[in-house]
Amino acid sequence: MATRFPGALDRDPDELPDNIADSDNLNSPNHATVHNNVNGAVLQIEEKLGTGDTTPSSGAVLIGDGAGTSAWDTTPTFVGDVTIPEGDLILGSTAVSSSAAELNLLDGSTAGTVVASKAVVVDANKDISSFRNVTLTGELDAGSLDISGDADIDGTLETDALSINGTAVTATAAELNILAGGIGVITDFDPSWTNLTTGNGSYDYKAFLQINNLIVVSVSFTFGSESAMSTNPSFTVPVAVAETNQIVTGEGLAVEDGGSSYPLLVNMTSSELVIYDQAVVSNKVIRSAVTSGSPFTWGTGDKIQVTATYFTGTPS
């Protein structure tokens, strides 16, 4: 006879199962059938779950071992799949909000080594290796950086110290910039004059070239109606002078508008190039003063031009 399990447990305990007619009484032969079904169901449960401790334990489940015994267990081991609805897993008192797919990212990960399509876990030393390509949208801040291959930096490389193949680069950024574009770069500058009022005059050129410690400076200025000449004009050098007693190689021209050109001499002070006129005395060329009337009376359209060479450093 087949075992009949009840379809639900929310029944009146005094009610007989549905296979006994309402008109039947307890002496009905069907009553024995009911006892047989109940007994068979109990035996089936015992065979499936096992026998053993029947005293419930708080926080435990009654579980069989598959060998005919059962017990209440607070740390049961399940054979096969256990399905828990997402969001219903609680560890301790903390709900696990991660999805199964997110938790699976930890399955197969190796501490200290990047594994494809798995979560990255550092080792005990907080180290990690085997990254392939890493893209940053922010800042990389590290105590040191060791790159064994090529580095492609699209932007500014900021460094306080630079070494090339084991040799420290001691040149400053300003010194290295001198090499940009070639051995030297022609740079514009604004001379500051003494004993010459520029007024509404204009520069034809005002620039200097620096090659290491060697400076070549060239200035050409055209007088305007408000320009004025005083005695021995001078202008500041574009790069500071370290040795003021050096011999300056320089010359100039005083060019009269529509007239002649007159040679000039150039000397150096601690921070300026000073312009002088020339004179011949006893068959010798000597230095004389440039004034508002020498070598001619300066006026609109006249030019003063100077080219000089000097050193910024001192001999070693």
Side-chain angles (χ1 to χ4, degrees):
M1 183 179 296
T3 300
R4 181 180 182 278
F5 288 98
L9 297 179
D10 55 343
R11 301 172 62 97
D12 184 347
D14 296 328
E15 179 184 355
L16 292 174
D18 293 337
N19 63 338
I20 297 180
D22 293 340
S23 61
D24 292 334
N25 54 40
L26 294 178
N27 294 321
S28 170
N30 289 334
H31 186 69
T33 301
V34 173
H35 278 284
N36 182 66
N37 285 342
V38 171
N39 183 64
V42 170
L43 291 175
Q44 289 291 322
I45 292 173
E46 289 179 349
E47 289 178 1
K48 292 179 178 181
L49 187 61
T51 61
D53 191 356
T54 58
T55 302
S57 177
S58 176
V61 295
L62 184 62
I63 189 169
D65 63 1
T69 61
S70 64
W72 292 94
D73 195 345
T74 57
T75 58
T77 300
F78 297 96
V79 178
D81 295 337
V82 177
T83 302
I84 301 175
E86 192 168 297
D88 290 343
L89 177 62
I90 298 177
L91 299 179
S93 60
T94 303
V96 177
S97 59
S98 299
S99 66
E102 292 170 338
L103 291 175
N104 286 340
L105 293 176
L106 293 172
D107 183 26
S109 65
T110 302
T113 303
V114 175
V115 178
S117 301
K118 295 297 178 181
V120 175
V121 181
V122 299
D123 63 14
N125 295 320
K126 301 180 181 179
D127 294 334
I128 192 73
S129 64
S130 301
F131 276 110
R132 186 171 178 269
N133 294 322
V134 177
T135 301
L136 301 178
T137 58
E139 178 179 324
L140 174 61
D141 192 355
S144 62
L145 183 64
D146 186 0
I147 300 175
S148 59
D150 297 335
D152 184 2
I153 300 175
D154 185 12
T156 300
L157 176 62
E158 175 67 29
T159 178
D160 294 330
L162 181 63
S163 177
I164 300 177
N165 197 27
T167 301
V169 177
T170 58
T172 65
E175 291 169 340
L176 291 175
N177 286 341
I178 295 173
L179 302 176
I183 296 177
V185 177
I186 298 176
T187 305
D188 184 78
F189 79 108
D190 294 316
S192 178
W193 288 89
T194 300
N195 295 334
L196 189 153
T197 301
T198 57
N200 60 348
S202 61
Y203 286 98
D204 305 301
Y205 51 83
K206 49 182 179 61
F208 71 95
L209 171 69
Q210 181 168 3
I211 304 174
N212 294 328
N213 288 328
L214 178 66
I215 304 296
V216 179
V217 58
S218 187
V219 173
S220 176
F221 178 75
T222 300
F223 276 61
S225 59
E226 298 175 3
S227 303
M229 176 68 75
S230 297
T231 302
N232 295 335
S234 62
F235 62 88
T236 54
V237 294
V239 181
V241 178
E243 177 58 65
T244 59
N245 294 323
Q246 62 181 292
I247 297 176
V248 177
T249 301
E251 60 183 4
L253 284 176
V255 182
E256 189 174 13
D257 185 28
S260 302
S261 299
Y262 302 86
L264 302 174
L265 296 175
V266 178
N267 277 14
M268 174 171 282
T269 66
S270 60
S271 61
E272 293 184 322
L273 292 174
V274 185
I275 305 169
Y276 296 93
D277 194 3
Q278 297 184 31
V280 178
V281 177
S282 300
N283 297 324
K284 297 178 181 179
V285 177
I286 63 172
R287 187 178 71 185
S288 62
V290 172
T291 65
S292 59
S294 177
F296 47 77
T297 300
W298 294 85
T300 302
D302 296 336
K303 294 179 182 291
I304 184 168
Q305 299 176 330
V306 172
T307 297
T309 303
Y310 66 94
F311 292 102
T312 61
T314 57
S316 58

